[in-house]
Amino acid sequence: MTIRKMIAAASLAALALTLGACADEPSDEPAKSGGQAGAQEIVFALHNTPDGIDPNITSNSFAAPIIFNTFECLVTYSTTDGALIPGQAESWDISDDGLTYTFHLREGLKWSDGSALTASDFVYSAQRVLTPSTTAQYVGLYTDYVVGAQELYDDASQTDGLGIKAADDTTLTIELKAPTPFFIDIVGMWAWSPVQQATIEANGDQWTNEAASYVSNGPFKMDEVNLGESYVLVKNPNYWDAANVKLEKITFRMIPDPSTALAAFEGGEIDGQLTVPSSDIARLKTSDSGLVVTPAYSTTWYNINNAKAPYDNPLVRKALSLAVDREALVNEVLQNGGTPAFSPVAPGYSVDGVEYSEGRSDFGLSATADPEAAKAALAEAGYPGGEGFPTLQLSYYTDDTVKLMTEALADQFETNLGINVEISNEDWAVYYDNVQAGNYEVGAMGWGADYFHPMTFLQLLQTDDVNNNVFYSNLEYDALVIQAQAETDPAVAMDLMRQADELSAAEYPVLCLFYRANMMLVSPELKGVYRTVLNNLYFRSAYLEG
Amino acid sequence: MTRYIVKRLGTSLVTLLFVILLTFVLMHSVPGGPFAQEKEAPPEVLDALNAKYHLDQPLVVQFFEYLGGLLRFELGPSFKYTGRTVNDFIVNGAPFSMRLGLITLVFVLIAAIPMGILAARRNGRWPDAVVMIIATLGITIPSFVAAAGLMYVFAYRLNWVPTFGLDKPTSYILPVLALGGYSLSFLARLMRSSLLEVMGQDYIRTARAKGLSEVRVITRHALRNAIIPVLTVLGPTVAGLLTGSFVIEKIFAIPGMGSYFVDSVTQRDYTTIMGMTTFYAAFLITMVFVVDLFYRLVDPRIELG
């Protein structure tokens, strides 16, 4: 036997075995794009399995595509311009003191199993979140704002005190501890989704594991849960606006490697994917490939430990901020579509047509590095030419992109400031522990907004905030933030928030780099997919053309 | 024989217990915990989570609770994925990993042994050179490079096979080649060198002197001895192939068990780390045991016990 024959025989045998082994497998091939005309079925690639899809429990952003298409809150977001619009609630009233919200639910709302959905389902959901054993990660979205929520969380017998009540089947009232101008955005977060008591009582925390028990109230309902492989959603005929939902089936396929997904996308095997491998962005930008770039309400920065010398000196922090070439970072190193940032608060929020960041100072910073000014600031702080400055400890959590960014940053510090930089990295779990404990000097961090309001960023720098890991403290700032929170007039609140923002950003508490953008791929035939600045991905208006 | 099996079972259990203990100790001495989120959960939530998963108990209590669960084949709830148990991961992932692994194993055996024999028989001539070149490439090219290259050429450029998943029969071709490349090369080289060594021995000369055909000399006399080193590495190879490869499963988006081995560690998902390690260890020990039994079938001179 010649070698060629032998190899051929071997591969044939292997192939035959392969075919034989698979023949008896149930073939559940995913629907392909461009299949039968008119079949409104798509396959969309996600890259990470969420830690759960129970809207009351998880805060994991990987769950967003699944939860936001199967569940609907009192309010939702427009799939044309991202504006807040009525969802399960048809309308709502806010009392003059800003403390009582009355939501009027739509008539005849139903769960995906056909049973009626009433205001008391929202009350049940709230009580479930406020039960410690539920381990709701977003419990703060209730306890921070609602009367009696913390008390109920601390003591299960305090149900009467909870300020969330169903007056009748379609009227839900929520009483707040203090006026909260962005509360309407809060109830649009999935932790405020109603969940069905019957399925949870019957199935416990396994209710999210099977399609049949995953009862929901959104435009789509679960059809298959294939652990680690896919979530298959089908149109929910019991959704109040089902007449306008065109897609019949969405297969969210887990493809961990975005490069694999890209190959599948370009080969027409899938109709879209949630992230794009950074090495391909430049190529995809120049072609008509279906690259969709949407701004995100989130900011990437590096924490500077404000409590640790020499970083307790604002001049040192300013020098670091001036030494960074943000434009090169965004356009060359990361190629991620971001825009240079000089303040932690991302732009985009508007009141009466006035955008938050309009006319905001650049705090002496620029999109490119300013080595002269950076050196001057460092000299003013007592380290002329970087002399006598201790080696800067630059840390990051293990991640390929963050690694690139950190190395570029280190290089810019060394070149533009003449200081030494030492880089270290750890797994996120360890890294974050160290950041919280203040065991760092300068470290990779950022913030993705929870709700579409500048307060989500401003709270972070309050002296006592649990997420203030840079240990910045400015009592005047704290007072302004508290004042803005209590202000019921949105325009006045906006003015106060801008003041607070200007006050802190001028002291460079963090090293701002850029405002993020999200990039995804959507096949040109798939229309109407909308991604909000909060990364909510809606398919309820999507359809395949042709 | 029975005595041998009983004895081996005993030592296997001790080994397994030691693996479990060691994993447990190492896992808890690594800094960081399972409940670190993208965003910090309030302390009350962390307390509730710790209570739910008994992490507020002393470590010794946790360890014996875990052992108790193992006796009932309960590997415990995942700390990371709400409502999921480690049993779910194995039950759902194993069919994918095992099916891919089994096909790869068959492919490897069918290809590697003839390749090794051929190379040994044509030692120093061109078939030998070709086999050795293939084998060297297979050993030196990491599986993820092979996977990416195969995917680029056959799925992306030529569009002959699907890019991801195991949904169609043709889906298996690329993952099998990428996953099996190393084992194929390693076994082919081992087969070749082992056969070459055997072929130089006196009893082979005797067999030839008796006038036996070359085919008979190899199949009846040489192979039986030459295959023993191959059998030895087969145990770990089988365990490795069948329990899933993190890299291959990730690249081809195959929902097997591979990802849980790696992700559970970075996520500090304690029960999943324990469960997957224990499962793998038990499987490996079993495979080595099976191979040892096979020795006796191949070579009656080998005494067990």
Side-chain angles (χ1 to χ4, degrees):
Chain A
M1 214 185 222
T2 66
I3 178 129
R4 198 173 300 143
K5 276 185 195 157
M6 204 166 235
I7 289 177
S11 9
L12 268 179
L15 191 68
L17 263 155
T18 312
L19 295 170
C22 310
D24 54 350
E25 284 305 311
S27 82
D28 44 345
E29 291 171 23
K32 276 186 142 194
S33 66
Q36 318 89 310
Q40 293 288 332
E41 300 184 353
I42 62 160
V43 180
F44 196 91
L46 308 178
H47 313 287
N48 298 86
T49 301
D51 68 5
I53 51 171
D54 183 330
N56 281 170
I57 297 179
T58 187
S59 64
N60 193 241
S61 59
F62 303 142
I66 297 131
I67 295 182
F68 275 122
N69 289 295
T70 48
F71 281 90
E72 188 174 85
C73 299
L74 292 164
V75 298
T76 182
Y77 294 89
S78 157
T79 52
T80 48
D81 62 2
L84 187 114
I85 55 169
Q88 297 280 290
E90 200 168 25
S91 63
W92 55 89
D93 315 310
I94 306 169
S95 64
D96 289 341
D97 58 5
L99 289 174
T100 309
Y101 283 63
T102 309
F103 290 92
H104 306 287
L105 303 192
R106 294 173 193 280
E107 292 290 337
L109 287 176
K110 281 181 181 158
W111 290 104
S112 57
D113 65 358
S115 60
L117 188 159
T118 65
S120 54
D121 287 306
F122 286 89
V123 179
Y124 166 74
S125 185
Q127 288 172 347
R128 179 167 181 257
V129 169
L130 293 168
T131 306
S133 61
T134 305
T135 64
Q137 293 162 13
Y138 266 143
V139 66
L141 294 178
Y142 287 77
T143 52
D144 289 352
Y145 308 107
V146 178
V147 166
Q150 185 66 51
E151 289 74 8
L152 175 59
Y153 190 78
D154 295 335
D155 177 356
S157 67
Q158 302 292 318
T159 45
D160 291 343
L162 181 64
I164 304 177
K165 293 203 159 62
D168 56 53
D169 279 357
T170 57
T171 311
L172 182 75
T173 57
I174 302 176
E175 264 181 85
L176 303 191
K177 294 196 278 197
T180 311
F182 51 90
F183 184 69
I184 198 70
D185 293 279
I186 297 284
V187 295
M189 294 179 65
W190 72 55
W192 278 84
S193 287
V195 292
Q196 198 200 40
Q197 186 168 7
T199 187
I200 289 163
E201 283 178 355
N203 302 291
D205 69 357
Q206 319 257 309
W207 75 282
T208 59
N209 291 359
E210 305 287 337
S213 54
Y214 195 67
V215 178
S216 63
N217 69 331
F220 299 92
K221 61 176 183 174
M222 194 64 80
D223 191 44
E224 279 176 50
V225 180
N226 301 310
L227 182 63
E229 182 182 10
S230 62
Y231 294 94
V232 182
L233 274 49
V234 292
K235 184 176 167 174
N236 174 10
N238 290 310
Y239 178 58
W240 65 270
D241 197 20
N244 290 315
V245 177
K246 299 189 187 78
L247 285 184
E248 293 293 335
K249 185 171 170 185
I250 307 171
T251 302
F252 284 121
R253 179 67 163 89
M254 296 298 154
I255 303 183
D257 187 341
S259 302
T260 304
L262 179 61
F265 178 78
E266 297 196 308
E269 287 174 72
I270 58 174
D271 302 278
Q273 65 184 85
L274 197 61
T275 55
V276 185
S278 53
S279 52
D280 291 281
I281 289 170
R283 172 174 71 85
L284 292 167
K285 265 184 184 163
T286 57
S287 66
D288 188 17
S289 55
L291 182 71
V292 179
V293 183
T294 45
Y297 204 50
S298 63
T299 312
T300 292
W301 65 68
Y302 275 61
N303 269 3
I304 305 176
N305 192 337
N306 285 235
K308 195 166 187 173
Y311 307 98
D312 53 352
N313 184 346
L315 283 167
V316 170
R317 303 197 295 262
K318 183 181 182 182
L320 295 178
S321 294
L322 281 163
V324 177
D325 189 339
R326 295 168 176 80
E327 213 163 80
L329 206 59
V330 170
N331 295 334
E332 284 152 41
V333 181
L334 303 172
Q335 307 194 347
N336 62 4
T339 44
F342 310 128
S343 151
V345 186
Y349 175 80
S350 297
V351 173
D352 302 332
V354 183
E355 198 277 318
Y356 174 85
S357 68
E358 268 179 42
R360 181 164 62 180
S361 162
D362 59 8
F363 311 104
L365 305 175
S366 62
T368 53
D370 188 347
E372 297 308 312
K375 283 195 185 105
L378 199 62
E380 202 185 332
Y383 307 98
E387 222 172 283
F389 196 84
T391 299
L392 187 153
Q393 303 293 331
L394 188 61
S395 50
Y396 68 99
Y397 51 93
T398 312
D399 177 284
D400 292 342
T401 311
V402 181
K403 180 173 184 232
L404 270 180
M405 184 160 66
T406 308
E407 283 166 355
L409 220 54
D411 182 56
Q412 291 175 1
F413 287 153
E414 288 182 334
T415 318
N416 295 341
L417 292 173
I419 59 173
N420 291 320
V421 179
E422 212 172 270
I423 298 181
S424 64
N425 68 305
E426 282 149 335
D427 283 346
W428 172 257
V430 182
Y431 176 78
Y432 196 59
D433 276 354
N434 279 329
V435 167
Q436 283 179 301
N439 293 328
Y440 75 98
E441 290 184 358
V442 180
M445 196 54 68
W447 189 256
D450 287 328
Y451 46 89
F452 190 32
H453 195 280
M455 202 53 86
T456 185
F457 294 102
L458 292 170
Q459 281 175 337
L460 299 175
L461 290 173
Q462 284 178 296
T463 305
D464 295 326
D465 194 87
V466 60
N467 285 306
N468 181 352
N469 305 318
V470 296
F471 312 105
Y472 173 75
S473 175
N474 182 331
L475 299 180
E476 202 184 331
Y477 176 85
D478 294 349
L480 277 169
V481 172
I482 291 170
Q483 211 185 328
Q485 257 171 333
E487 180 55 56
T488 51
D489 181 344
V492 179
M494 173 109 130
D495 189 50
L496 290 165
M497 291 190 295
R498 282 171 156 183
Q499 285 179 39
D501 188 6
E502 300 260 345
L503 188 70
S504 63
E507 297 185 311
Y508 313 98
V510 298
L511 173 54
C512 296
L513 294 181
F514 55 88
Y515 302 120
R516 296 175 201 158
N518 287 318
M519 294 197 194
M520 60 177 177
L521 285 167
V522 178
S523 137
E525 289 89 60
L526 178 57
K527 310 281 186 194
V529 178
Y530 193 85
R531 193 175 194 172
T532 70
V533 293
L534 293 179
N535 206 9
N536 304 3
L537 187 64
Y538 291 112
F539 284 86
R540 64 167 188 262
S541 309
Y543 60 97
L544 280 172
E545 202 176 56
Chain B
M1 189 71 173
T2 319
R3 233 188 96 197
Y4 170 73
I5 293 179
V6 171
K7 204 173 132 197
R8 271 298 293 267
L9 276 177
T11 52
S12 296
L13 271 181
V14 173
T15 313
L16 195 58
L17 203 66
F18 196 71
V19 168
I20 295 169
L21 180 64
L22 198 66
T23 314
F24 188 85
V25 170
L26 282 175
M27 184 177 81
H28 281 281
S29 37
V30 175
F35 305 126
Q37 305 287 342
E38 291 167 89
K39 289 179 182 175
E40 183 61 359
E44 299 105 343
V45 177
L46 290 180
D47 289 345
L49 280 167
N50 282 327
K52 178 174 175 185
Y53 294 112
H54 306 281
L55 283 179
D56 49 353
Q57 309 266 342
L59 282 181
V60 181
V61 175
Q62 288 184 41
F63 182 70
F64 282 101
E65 270 186 3
Y66 186 78
L67 284 187
L70 269 186
L71 290 178
R72 300 187 301 272
F73 291 102
E74 279 169 19
L75 299 172
S78 164
F79 288 8
K80 198 71 196 176
Y81 299 98
T82 315
R84 291 292 182 182
T85 63
V86 182
N87 293 48
D88 284 348
F89 299 152
I90 294 177
V91 169
N92 283 281
F96 290 99
S97 294
M98 297 237 168
R99 206 157 66 218
L100 178 63
L102 212 61
I103 292 169
T104 308
L105 181 68
V106 170
F107 163 72
V108 164
L109 287 179
I110 288 178
I113 292 173
M115 275 169 75
I117 297 172
L118 180 81
R121 290 302 302 133
R122 299 275 184 274
N123 183 23
R125 278 176 279 166
W126 70 266
D128 184 25
V130 172
V131 169
M132 289 309 284
I133 288 172
I134 295 175
T136 308
L137 283 179
I139 285 189
T140 47
I141 298 179
S143 61
F144 62 90
V145 176
L150 288 168
M151 184 188 288
Y152 180 77
V153 176
F154 296 104
Y156 181 67
R157 281 280 158 204
L158 299 172
N159 231 336
W160 287 356
V161 288
T163 315
F164 66 93
L166 291 178
D167 302 318
K168 293 179 193 156
T170 48
S171 305
Y172 284 83
I173 297 175
L174 301 187
V176 163
L177 287 175
L179 180 61
Y182 179 85
S183 305
L184 170 74
S185 310
F186 186 73
L187 288 182
R189 289 170 73 108
L190 192 64
M191 189 70 234
R192 173 183 174 272
S193 59
S194 159
L195 189 61
L196 276 178
E197 194 198 324
V198 170
M199 293 302 280
Q201 300 212 352
D202 289 345
Y203 76 93
I204 297 293
R205 203 177 318 136
T206 313
R208 283 191 177 135
K210 284 200 301 185
L212 290 183
S213 71
E214 193 63 17
V215 174
R216 260 185 104 74
V217 170
I218 291 176
T219 51
R220 280 297 161 94
H221 297 272
L223 263 189
R224 290 197 89 144
N225 277 325
I227 203 99
I228 288 179
V230 176
L231 271 185
T232 310
V233 298
L234 212 52
T237 304
V238 170
L241 289 178
L242 264 54
T243 46
S245 147
F246 171 68
V247 173
I248 298 298
E249 290 183 358
K250 183 177 174 189
I251 293 181
F252 290 104
I254 296 164
M257 291 182 290
S259 64
Y260 298 110
F261 283 104
V262 179
D263 290 344
S264 63
V265 178
T266 49
Q267 294 167 344
R268 309 283 188 271
D269 187 348
Y270 290 154
T271 41
T272 310
I273 298 176
M274 293 298 295
M276 298 313 288
T277 313
T278 309
F279 180 78
Y280 180 75
F283 199 70
L284 182 65
I285 291 170
T286 313
M287 281 304 140
V288 172
F289 183 38
V290 169
V291 164
D292 284 356
L293 291 178
F294 261 104
Y295 280 152
R296 219 186 127 83
L297 289 178
V298 176
D299 186 348
R301 286 174 306 174
I302 293 178
E303 281 288 319
L304 297 177

